[in-house]
Amino acid sequence: MDIKHLQYFIEVANFNSFTRAADHLFITQPTISKMIKNLETELGVELFDRSRKQLILTDAGRVVLDQAKLIDKAFHNLETEMDNLLGLKKGHIRIGLPPIIDASFFPRILSRFHQDYPNITFQLVEDGSKKIEESVQNDLIDIGVIVLPTNNALFHHFAFLEEDINLIVHPSHPHACGEEIDLADLENESFILFNKDYVLRDLIISSCNEAGFSPHIVTESSRWDFIEEMVYCKLGVALLPESLCRHDERVKTIRVRNPSISWNLGFIWSKDHYLSYAAKEWLKYTREALSHK
């Protein structure tokens, strides 16, 4: 038995299919079937009930799966430690980014980091803050950018950006002639918000409630550029971070007051999961770059 036997077994259990697991691993179905059969022979048990239409784990299979996952995680940690010993000659960093931030600075930092560490690769995952927190907690990504605050019992974090949330309207909108507006004056407007995966949505709704009304939501989206386009098409008004409001000159930006709304962005990483040396170096590098910015 070697680690590949266990890793292939985990994939078959995840997909409930030899064929789909083989496709995911880019190997042939007979190869993975043979590996699982060899594992069953060595352990002296059947891991899957093959008599049914859908492949399911036997009782022994469930026990082996639990232990196989622990062994696979330990092996992953061993590989990470070896990366550390190699002095960042190689590595892989998984980063979660909300698509509602102005990420123009991010590629520049990635580029400079890549010049110093050319063999470190990145996986960038775009999602809302809520899902990014879940992914960091479940060890699906190493580092995430979210809207703070976060759960300090689960995550380390540092903040890097605070900015106001502004109103955008079509230039023909009655409020377009002003430079500032009280939030309460938007009570009768139709709002275009981000969907429920985004903390900014909760922040906007709670701020409207504080101003004495519940916003009428005409539609939702996960893309800030699509929201700006819908505002331009007169579908409603929207509240966006100041940095995003500068991207589309076809809409009018207005400051919001009484109450003003702001958000605070930060990086988070888990207190419970091992963080590779490459990921630690990325955090250090990014913190320094952003502090200079």
Side-chain angles (χ1 to χ4, degrees):
M1 183 194 310
D2 62 28
I3 189 66
K4 284 296 182 186
H5 285 84
L6 296 177
Q7 290 172 335
Y8 286 4
F9 167 61
I10 292 171
E11 289 300 309
V12 174
N14 286 340
F15 285 100
N16 290 323
S17 167
F18 285 100
T19 302
R20 290 166 59 196
D23 290 342
H24 182 71
L25 294 166
F26 300 102
I27 61 175
T28 64
Q29 192 269 340
T31 297
I32 199 169
S33 296
K34 183 178 179 181
M35 293 282 277
I36 300 303
K37 191 62 180 176
N38 289 342
L39 181 60
E40 289 178 321
T41 300
E42 186 167 352
L43 294 174
V45 296
E46 289 190 358
L47 300 175
F48 295 99
D49 182 353
R50 297 169 173 82
S51 65
R52 306 185 186 187
K53 187 174 182 180
Q54 183 180 15
L55 195 68
I56 63 172
L57 288 166
T58 62
D59 291 342
R62 285 191 288 270
V63 172
V64 174
L65 179 62
D66 289 340
Q67 297 304 312
K69 288 180 176 179
L70 293 175
I71 294 170
D72 184 52
K73 185 175 181 179
F75 185 77
H76 174 72
N77 288 343
L78 177 61
E79 287 184 319
T80 304
E81 289 288 359
M82 292 302 100
D83 288 345
N84 293 351
L85 292 177
L86 290 172
L88 287 180
K89 290 183 179 178
K90 63 178 182 178
H92 185 69
I93 309 172
R94 304 164 298 172
I95 303 174
L97 291 172
I100 60 175
I101 66 171
D102 178 9
S104 59
F105 72 90
F106 211 77
R108 292 195 292 270
I109 298 175
L110 278 176
S111 177
R112 293 198 297 269
F113 187 85
H114 178 68
Q115 290 174 15
D116 291 342
Y117 305 105
N119 294 318
I120 292 178
T121 57
F122 292 89
Q123 175 188 356
L124 301 179
V125 179
E126 286 191 303
D127 230 324
S129 289
K130 296 177 184 178
K131 285 193 174 181
I132 287 175
E133 281 190 318
E134 290 178 7
S135 295
V136 172
Q137 186 177 359
N138 294 325
D139 200 25
L140 298 176
I141 57 177
D142 304 305
I143 301 164
V145 175
I146 68 158
V147 180
L148 298 174
T150 188
N151 188 334
N152 292 326
L154 297 176
F155 306 111
H156 297 289
H157 74 277
F158 72 85
F160 68 88
L161 174 67
E162 184 174 6
E163 63 178 344
D164 291 333
I165 307 299
N166 290 338
L167 174 72
I168 60 169
V169 299
H170 189 274
S172 65
H173 192 282
H175 292 311
C177 58
E179 297 298 322
E180 292 185 337
I181 190 169
D182 287 349
L183 188 57
D185 292 336
L186 303 178
E187 180 176 2
N188 297 319
E189 298 293 336
S190 295
F191 281 80
I192 305 168
L193 297 184
F194 289 100
N195 65 37
K196 294 180 180 179
D197 293 332
Y198 294 84
V199 172
L200 182 56
R201 179 185 189 275
D202 300 338
L203 178 61
I204 290 170
I205 291 176
S206 64
S207 296
C208 290
N209 292 339
E210 182 182 345
F213 70 98
S214 295
H216 169 63
I217 303 170
V218 65
T219 190
E220 299 174 351
S221 175
S222 62
R223 292 176 47 185
W224 60 265
D225 56 338
F226 193 45
I227 289 176
E228 287 188 338
E229 189 67 28
M230 287 190 284
V231 170
Y232 177 70
C233 292
K234 302 182 181 181
L235 191 61
V237 304
L239 292 162
L240 293 178
E242 182 180 2
S243 55
L244 297 184
C245 295
R246 298 192 292 263
H247 284 268
D248 195 336
E249 296 180 354
R250 299 176 303 164
V251 295
K252 175 65 185 300
T253 300
I254 304 167
R255 290 189 298 273
V256 176
R257 63 189 182 191
N258 297 328
S260 60
I261 311 173
S262 64
W263 74 345
N264 192 7
L265 293 180
F267 285 95
I268 64 165
W269 60 101
S270 175
K271 290 185 174 181
D272 295 329
H273 300 302
Y274 182 85
L275 194 65
S276 71
Y277 187 53
K280 291 177 182 175
E281 184 64 18
W282 161 254
L283 283 170
K284 177 183 175 183
Y285 197 97
T286 304
R287 176 179 280 181
E288 291 177 353
L290 291 172
S291 65
H292 292 155
K293 179 176 181 294

